[in-house]
Amino acid sequence: MHDRLPLIAGNWKMHKTPAEAREWCAGFRSRLPSLPPGVEVAVCPPFTALEPVSSALRGHPAWVAAQTISDQPSGPHTGEISGSMVFSCGARGVILGHSERRAMGETDVMVAARVRAALDAGLRPIICIGESLAEREEEVTLQVLTTQLTAAIAVVRPSEVDRVVIAYEPIWAIGTGRSATPEMAQESTAAIRELARKRLDANRLRILYGGSVTPATARQLLVSPDIDGALVGGASLDPESFAMIVEAAG
Ligand code: 13P
């Protein structure tokens, strides 16, 4: 048995202005004034909506996370945003290594540096790993997960395990409407837990599934023993469908 608290995180990606974000928060709060017992919720808006969302969710148990940060604390890095900056806007976590950022050139080394920067800034990193369709078909999924996970957790101290979240997001399942089956997601998350055991107390490590999670598919994914929650993209943009996924985790 384990006592890992399920986490449902909504990744808004590049969606919602501050006004739209406030409207979402009002809708979500009226739908779920409190969270179901035993569920944690994180909302991950774009940088420009971090402060509005943090303000609009004040007094609500959902916490706020950014979608990336710089690996540097400050300095001449035009266009970059540091961990302490997002923290000061109310963020308490940050998504790192999302496949949409890896596709733009973010490497395992860069992701690891951001993980360390996040922990040093007091943020909880939500580290995304996952294979492409070609890699799954070539049957190298486990190698891909091993490489990505090993690099990312090499910078995590064993005492920090409770602050770290891994999100298994197979690239072919993201935004496609084609979720991994519960069996596939369980197989990969269990493998990730075993890999993490080399460095961390993996029974305490939360591992989420992400990729086309909807209110209709959430429950069957979330009952798997090694899936500790979901990282939700498209279905998090509507407060009603996000609330339904949160309830499915309760
Ligand atoms: P979708 O839920 O839209 O497939 O996105 C998943 C995702 O990338 C979350 O980070």
Side-chain angles (χ1 to χ4, degrees), residues 9-13 95 98-100 128 167 169-179 209-214 230-237 245:
N11 176 8
W12 290 1
K13 308 190 178 183
I95 297 171
H98 193 282
S99 58
E100 290 156 12
C128 303
E169 296 211 313
I171 297 169
W172 48 269
I174 295 176
T176 58
R178 186 182 159 210
S179 168
Y209 167 77
S212 296
V213 175
T214 66
L231 183 54
V232 185
S236 73
L237 294 173
I245 295 171

Side-chain angles (χ1 to χ4, degrees), residues 27-84:
F28 185 70
R29 287 191 84 137
S30 70
R31 179 64 173 68
L32 284 181
S34 61
L35 295 176
V39 185
E40 207 173 293
V41 168
V43 182
C44 314
F47 291 127
T48 45
L50 282 174
E51 198 286 324
V53 168
S54 301
S55 297
L57 291 179
R58 195 155 292 143
H60 190 278
W63 48 277
V64 179
Q67 297 175 15
T68 188
I69 52 165
S70 170
D71 62 350
Q72 298 296 313
S74 65
H77 307 288
T78 302
E80 293 294 294
I81 305 222
S82 72
S84 63

